[in-house]
Amino acid sequence: MALFGNRKNGSDEVERLRRAVEELSVLNDLARAISVSQDSDDIIKTIVSRSVKAVKAEEVSITMVDKDEMVPTGTLVFEKDEAADQVHYHLNRNVLGCMCHEKRALLINDPREDPRFRGIQITEGIRNFLCVPLMVGAELIGVLSAYNKIGGGFSEEDQRILAIIAAQSAQVLEKARLDHEEKLNMQIKEDMRLAEMIQEGLLPKGAPEILGYDVAGASMAAGHVGGDYFDFIPLRDNRWAFALGDVSGKGVPAALLMANLQATLRGQAASQPTAAECVRWSNRLLYRSTADDKFATLVYFILDPRTHTLTYCNAGHERPLHRRSSGEGCVVEELTGGGLVLGILDDFEYVEGEMTMAPGDLVLLY
């Protein structure tokens, strides 16, 4: 009996077995590492490092995409060579758009000669790349990409093993992203709660008691915090200042600017004798302490209860209303006088108005 064998076929079979053992080892290591780690950063590092080992690439990246808009939301990179001048490779928008549209693997071993990339700028240093989709159900959540195969070009075997890693990792990455978003949302809610408490502390706790006058004020933010501001400020000689303003923007940035406005106005109210001068100097200080796109409107009144005179200055705010009690019927007029909103010009000459309050008169700032 004679036995005949093909040495080439035998060596090919051994190579396939060796490759299969390596793949199983990589996948087992990946599954074990993912199962024991609760830290999303550790999980991501594990996925990319195992991918580098599995396909023998110089670098692997995970690009997460916004599921609604199909735009990149961040690239997480693992580089094999950690030299200081190591270049990080990223998917350009053309490749990412292709992945978002087709949702299947893309293997390119000669991108500069590939007709699909004619006219498209390829990042210098990329010799070849392999991209596989990260899918959760029918939704693409990201792309797992390998760059520059060591010792040649990527093969269909590389594509297969990277696709298996992607399938095994997608759900874990999605969970890590959701956990991260939940932590961010919790932090944002806590920041908003603190900002709301701070802003409530800046607004008056109650109205002042002024002989012969009834005073009231209130503010309700559309969200947790906002840019609306009102204040009652005691002045010398038993006079009182009343202020109402609205700063540009929404949310926390507006609340911070509102706090700046309050501090500025209170400081100037104590040193400037007239409404116009107080607004003028508040404008100068606000202009010098805020960004070019930030501004505030403000209406500022000074009441002297002894003479019942009310002087006022309006910096771009809605005109206050004065309802007179004398005469026939109800007469309501707008109070004019003032100038530009605060924070636009370094200096501005504001105009002051004056009126006398009669019994039963009402002034509304809004």
Side-chain angles (χ1 to χ4, degrees), residues 61-212:
S61 71
I62 295 174
T63 303
M64 306 301 291
V65 298
D66 186 292
K67 291 184 289 185
D68 296 323
E69 301 180 16
M70 285 299 144
V71 296
T73 59
T75 301
L76 312 160
V77 180
F78 173 88
E79 62 273 12
K80 190 169 185 181
D81 181 3
E82 296 186 0
D85 58 350
Q86 174 74 20
V87 176
H88 297 314
Y89 302 124
H90 302 276
L91 292 182
N92 64 35
R93 287 192 171 273
N94 301 91
V95 177
L96 187 60
C98 179
M99 294 297 297
C100 291
H101 177 69
E102 298 187 5
K103 299 179 182 179
R104 58 188 178 90
L106 184 64
L107 193 162
I108 306 294
N109 274 323
D110 194 355
R112 288 163 184 81
E113 298 298 326
D114 194 297
R116 290 171 292 182
F117 292 89
R118 187 172 291 119
I120 296 175
Q121 184 68 31
I122 303 297
T123 303
E124 186 177 353
I126 294 182
R127 301 189 302 274
N128 45 51
F129 61 89
L130 170 62
C131 303
V132 294
L134 291 161
M135 305 290 296
V136 174
E139 292 185 338
L140 179 79
I141 67 162
V143 179
L144 179 62
S145 308
Y147 302 93
N148 295 346
K149 172 81 172 186
I150 297 173
F154 291 107
S155 65
E156 292 185 359
E157 284 294 312
D158 294 323
Q159 178 178 311
R160 187 178 66 83
I161 186 63
L162 202 64
I164 293 173
I165 292 175
Q168 195 172 19
S169 306
Q171 191 68 51
V172 178
L173 284 169
E174 179 68 355
K175 182 179 182 301
R177 174 160 66 177
L178 293 175
D179 289 345
H180 180 65
E181 289 179 355
E182 184 179 1
K183 290 178 182 178
L184 285 179
N185 288 334
M186 291 176 62
Q187 184 61 51
I188 290 172
K189 288 180 180 178
E190 178 62 16
D191 290 345
M192 293 297 288
R193 187 186 68 82
L194 293 174
E196 186 176 11
M197 290 176 56
I198 292 171
Q199 189 168 43
E200 287 179 356
L202 294 176
L203 295 176
K205 300 297 186 294
E209 294 184 1
I210 304 174
L211 184 63

Side-chain angles (χ1 to χ4, degrees), residues 24-37:
L24 285 174
S25 175
V26 168
L27 294 175
N28 284 334
D29 287 348
L30 179 62
R32 185 169 58 252
I34 289 176
S35 64
V36 299
S37 178

Side-chain angles (χ1 to χ4, degrees), residues 32 42 70 80 142 150 159 179 230 233 310 314 327 332 351:
R32 185 169 58 252
D42 289 342
M70 285 299 144
K80 190 169 185 181
I150 297 173
Q159 178 178 311
D179 289 345
F230 78 97
I233 307 171
L310 199 62
N314 188 343
V332 178
V351 177

